[in-house]
Amino acid sequence: MKIMDEFKEFAMRGNVIDLAIGVIMGVAFAPIVSTLVDNIIMPPIGYLLAGIDFSSLAVAIPTPTDPVLIKYGLFLNAVIKFLITAFAIFLLVKGINHMKKPKPTVAAPPTPTEVYLREIRDLLAKRQMGAV
């Protein structure tokens, strides 16, 4: 039963739950980013680069039967999707961290001991000034 208790303690840590939520949000966010990249970002970039469709970019390696295609355009699309996803998650985490910033704490009033020690320090400093 000890292993189950340890697992329960591990699973209930805040970091594990945060990670699970992050993974779920990332999976839900992926189709949005794919649509954004494929239908909104890449067409204008392709237009600016003389009508190139990145998803169709490939290098054909001739073989005796059929050519083998290295589809580097799909790889470029995937890299762009990753960068956009990473940037969006960065902004999301930055916003959450901004909301979580601790409120400035008000300094507690000094204890009587601290007050007495400050008075002693100040008196000693005045005495040193007078002796010099």
Side-chain angles (χ1 to χ4, degrees):
M1 201 60 175
K2 184 177 181 181
I3 291 178
M4 290 303 289
D5 292 336
E6 288 179 29
F7 177 73
K8 182 179 175 184
E9 181 183 335
F10 168 77
M12 290 300 146
R13 281 190 197 157
N15 293 346
V16 174
I17 294 172
D18 291 344
L19 179 62
I21 291 170
V23 168
I24 292 168
M25 293 297 291
V27 169
F29 195 58
I32 296 169
V33 172
S34 291
T35 303
L36 175 71
V37 170
D38 293 340
N39 300 317
I40 296 174
I41 294 174
M42 294 312 289
I45 291 174
Y47 176 75
L48 292 173
L49 298 174
I52 297 172
D53 179 14
F54 277 82
S55 62
S56 65
L57 293 177
V59 173
I61 300 174
T63 61
T65 54
D66 293 326
V68 175
L69 295 177
I70 298 176
K71 299 179 178 182
Y72 67 92
L74 294 175
F75 175 74
L76 290 175
N77 275 350
V79 168
I80 291 169
K81 287 177 191 176
F82 169 77
L83 292 174
I84 291 171
T85 304
F87 184 69
I89 291 173
F90 166 75
L91 292 177
L92 179 69
V93 169
K94 185 175 174 146
I96 290 171
N97 286 340
H98 181 71
M99 289 188 297
K100 281 185 173 180
K101 280 191 179 175
K103 307 252 189 284
T105 57
V106 178
T111 63
T113 305
E114 291 173 338
V115 172
Y116 295 138
L117 287 173
R118 285 183 188 156
E119 290 175 2
I120 293 170
R121 180 197 62 202
D122 294 343
L123 288 171
L124 287 173
K126 285 181 185 177
R127 188 174 216 176
Q128 288 278 335
M129 296 285 276
V132 176

